Amino acid sequence: DRVARGFGMPMGPLELYDMIGLDTAFYAGLVLADAYGDRIESSPVIPAMVKSGRLGRKTGNVLRSVVFDLPGLAVDTHVGRLSQRLGLTKEPSPEKIEQDLMKVLPRSEWIDFSHRVIHHGRKTCKAARPRCDDCCLLELCPRIGVANA
């Protein structure tokens, strides 16, 4: 099992399933096995996912970062929402948010950033009721789009 950088928790199959779903993780394996057989390479993971038309960019980035330990920015609903609240992007689409984040984050931080922001969005900076009083980023966050900010 891998250790998810910055969290100190195991990142094994169950954690991967939690991030992208059991069905999606299983299907991603089938797509890769079908496309690459015994020679699954790390570099074409995202193109293979997107090209299949059945798995998206977020799943490709999660697999790229968790399975192959390569830089990838997985933009889910939490990453999108928090990136907008923090003023890192004004874009609504995950692909454009990913491009904006790539411009401001060092490549070496992409994996950690995605994991941390997803965790923070699930526990503290929730969509309907962000817990700003409990937030470690309170002093830095412009709270864009947060009611009663």
Side-chain angles (χ1 to χ4, degrees):
D1 285 356
R2 296 203 173 174
V3 174
R5 291 179 201 91
F7 292 110
M9 60 185 193
M11 180 56 82
L14 294 178
E15 290 79 16
L16 177 62
Y17 300 154
D18 183 48
M19 288 183 72
I20 63 174
L22 178 58
D23 292 342
T24 304
F26 178 74
Y27 187 72
L30 292 178
V31 170
L32 287 171
D34 184 51
Y36 299 103
D38 292 338
R39 56 173 193 78
I40 295 176
E41 301 169 19
S42 57
S43 57
V45 171
I46 292 176
M49 297 291 114
V50 176
K51 185 178 178 184
S52 75
R54 295 173 277 193
L55 295 173
R57 191 156 183 84
K58 179 188 93 170
T59 301
N61 275 317
V62 169
L63 291 172
R64 180 178 168 82
S65 64
V66 174
V67 176
F68 297 107
D69 199 29
L70 294 170
L73 268 167
V75 178
D76 72 346
T77 185
H78 304 294
V79 174
R81 180 179 68 252
L82 271 67
S83 296
Q84 291 166 344
R85 284 182 179 170
L86 288 166
L88 300 174
T89 186
K90 293 180 179 179
E91 297 295 339
S93 79
E95 293 82 8
K96 291 182 179 181
I97 292 170
E98 180 184 346
Q99 294 302 312
D100 284 350
L101 292 175
M102 287 175 161
K103 293 175 189 172
V104 298
L105 296 170
R107 189 175 175 93
S108 62
E109 295 295 322
W110 290 358
I111 297 170
D112 287 346
F113 181 83
S114 291
H115 288 297
R116 288 178 180 146
V117 172
I118 290 168
H119 180 75
H120 190 68
R122 287 178 179 173
K123 302 295 181 189
T124 305
C125 195
K126 300 179 179 196
R129 291 186 203 168
R131 296 178 16 224
C132 295
D133 291 341
D134 296 333
C135 182
C136 60
L137 300 173
L138 181 61
E139 293 181 21
L140 303 172
C141 183
R143 294 179 264 177
I144 297 170
V146 176
N148 302 320

